[in-house]
Amino acid sequence: MNSAPPMLILASRRRALTGNSRSLSRAYKKGELVRVRFGVYYNKSAWLALKPWQRYGATIGAVASSDPSAAFCYLTALRLWRLPLPRVPAHIHIITESPHKAGRLPATTQAAKDPKTGLTGLEQVRGYGISRHHWTADIVEHRGVAVTSLVQTVIDCVVRMELPEAVAAMDAVLGSRRASSEKLTRQQLQEASALLRSNAKRRRVLEVLALADEASESVGESRSRALMHVLGLPAPVLQHAFYDDEGFIGRTDFFWPEQRVIGEFDGDAKYLDDAFLGDMSTREAILAEKKREDRLRALGYQVVRWDWQAATNAALLRRKLSAAGITVQKSPPRGPIPPALPGGLTT
């Protein structure tokens, strides 16, 4: 790694500057620092204030700083390539050249106990262990660290993820909003899948690729569409543009022309994230969305909305769409969504 991320305190750097790192050991024992990895520290109060994804990112940085030879893969690589994950992984995933070193190691993040309470302050804070994988890897440098190539990262994850998660990752990497250096083409993914030794994995990649759609604009939309497929519901048209006598109304997330039904996924970001709100307040955004929906209904369309709860619950999404007239038209292609295997891994 070219340099340690901000806030990481390296014992090696302290020794180079002052001749020793004993001050870090003293601060750790006093409860002022958290030891993330051997020789890598973080201010304790700042660590506790971080959100889980931020702590995960800082742990990636700590691993890279303490072991410059580390090459990240699987879910950690997916995060480094800025592709969606449903939750913070429990481990930092790295490649090992030795099959004997493959396996999992517990989290090393520690803090000294308070002599009065016997507590470290980390009791309710998750630490991230190491998961070593032994498989052939195409390693590149990305964002200052060694990581599996974008195409290998996507393939490695798609064959191990549940379908909604896999579709979300595939939609994102194909999406037009990504920089050209961080996106893939369908041909690249097809060629990479052809090199897989496992027939089951090849079928899985092609199945997900067939479901992927570059027009999807959010993880919630991707997951919803994957659930529709699993449930055997008719495939919707994505990002269809609507007009009335006043002009352009907007593009909708989902549209079923035969049923005259419009579907909208409402993530919290639409009304709370400044990047989505622009110059509008939350109240103004809600009012604008209501006026937009009124114009769509005036054209004779039914509008059904759902949020993250339905996008992650097949039964709930089915009930919402069924009430709007979107019902099963074919047998579900793969039956119920299979539960994830431990650690998201497949045999």
Side-chain angles (χ1 to χ4, degrees):
M1 192 166 187
N2 294 336
S3 61
M7 300 296 288
L8 286 178
I9 305 168
L10 306 186
S12 59
R13 183 173 298 170
R14 183 64 60 90
R15 285 193 295 271
L17 292 173
T18 67
N20 68 72
S21 59
R22 287 192 294 273
S23 61
L24 297 180
S25 297
R26 289 194 295 268
Y28 171 80
K29 292 176 181 178
K30 290 169 62 178
E32 297 171 356
L33 296 178
V34 167
R35 182 186 293 125
V36 186
R37 300 283 295 170
F38 180 77
V40 185
Y41 298 85
Y42 205 98
N43 177 273
K44 184 177 178 180
S45 60
W47 183 263
L48 294 175
L50 294 178
K51 295 179 180 179
W53 273 118
Q54 293 173 318
R55 279 194 291 271
Y56 188 77
T59 306
I60 295 174
V63 171
S65 298
S66 60
D67 182 8
S69 67
F72 299 99
C73 65
Y74 189 35
L75 300 178
T76 305
L78 200 72
R79 178 66 176 176
L80 289 168
W81 283 110
R82 295 185 292 187
L83 289 168
L85 279 166
R87 64 194 66 85
V88 183
H91 295 80
I92 306 296
H93 297 272
I94 62 175
I95 290 290
T96 178
E97 296 181 355
S98 170
H100 303 295
K101 292 184 178 181
R104 291 179 174 175
L105 299 174
T108 58
T109 305
Q110 298 176 345
K113 289 184 178 181
D114 186 311
K116 295 181 180 179
T117 65
L119 301 175
T120 67
L122 302 184
E123 282 77 12
Q124 305 302 318
V125 175
R126 188 181 199 178
Y128 307 102
I130 297 291
S131 183
R132 293 183 179 140
H133 304 271
H134 175 67
W135 57 53
T136 303
D138 176 27
I139 304 299
V140 300
E141 183 176 328
H142 176 64
R143 302 178 72 182
V145 298
V147 62
T148 48
S149 67
L150 179 57
V151 66
Q152 177 171 356
T153 298
V154 173
I155 295 293
D156 286 345
C157 292
V158 161
V159 300
R160 293 170 171 84
M161 284 177 158
E162 291 183 358
L163 188 63
E165 301 167 0
V167 170
M170 192 73 84
D171 281 356
V173 81
L174 293 170
S176 59
R177 292 180 295 172
R178 284 180 69 84
S180 58
S181 61
E182 294 189 10
K183 64 184 298 186
L184 297 171
T185 65
R186 290 177 179 272
Q187 182 176 348
Q188 286 174 307
L189 288 159
Q190 289 169 347
E191 291 174 352
S193 68
L195 299 177
L196 294 172
R197 296 181 179 180
S198 166
N199 289 331
K201 289 182 178 180
R202 285 197 296 273
R203 288 195 302 270
R204 179 62 165 184
V205 174
L206 295 178
E207 174 193 27
V208 175
L209 190 57
L211 286 174
D213 196 316
E214 296 88 329
S216 184
E217 293 189 346
S218 74
V219 175
E221 292 176 28
S222 298
R223 291 184 63 91
S224 297
R225 201 176 72 256
L227 290 185
M228 293 172 197
H229 172 74
V230 171
L231 292 168
L233 299 174
V237 176
L238 304 189
Q239 308 303 326
H240 184 75
F242 287 87
Y243 298 83
D244 61 10
D245 292 341
E246 298 178 35
F248 179 65
I249 301 175
R251 291 180 296 110
T252 59
D253 297 337
F254 307 99
F255 177 46
W256 289 268
E258 292 184 8
Q259 293 85 355
R260 296 186 67 79
V261 172
I262 290 168
E264 295 278 56
F265 167 76
D266 282 336
D268 293 341
K270 182 184 290 187
Y271 304 111
L272 299 176
D273 192 328
D274 290 341
F276 289 86
L277 289 172
D279 295 329
M280 291 192 296
S281 66
T282 296
R283 184 175 181 178
E284 289 171 334
I286 293 173
L287 181 59
E289 189 67 19
K290 181 183 183 303
K291 290 180 177 179
R292 173 178 175 271
E293 183 171 322
D294 288 343
R295 291 172 69 185
L296 291 170
R297 292 185 188 278
L299 293 175
Y301 297 109
Q302 182 177 357
V303 180
V304 58
R305 294 181 174 276
W306 61 89
D307 57 14
W308 271 109
Q309 186 179 7
T312 55
N313 185 318
L316 179 56
L317 182 62
R318 179 175 54 203
R319 288 198 297 271
K320 283 182 172 290
L321 292 176
S322 178
I326 307 301
T327 56
V328 174
Q329 293 190 349
K330 56 184 175 61
S331 298
R334 298 184 66 83
I337 299 175
L341 294 176
L345 301 178
T346 58
T347 55

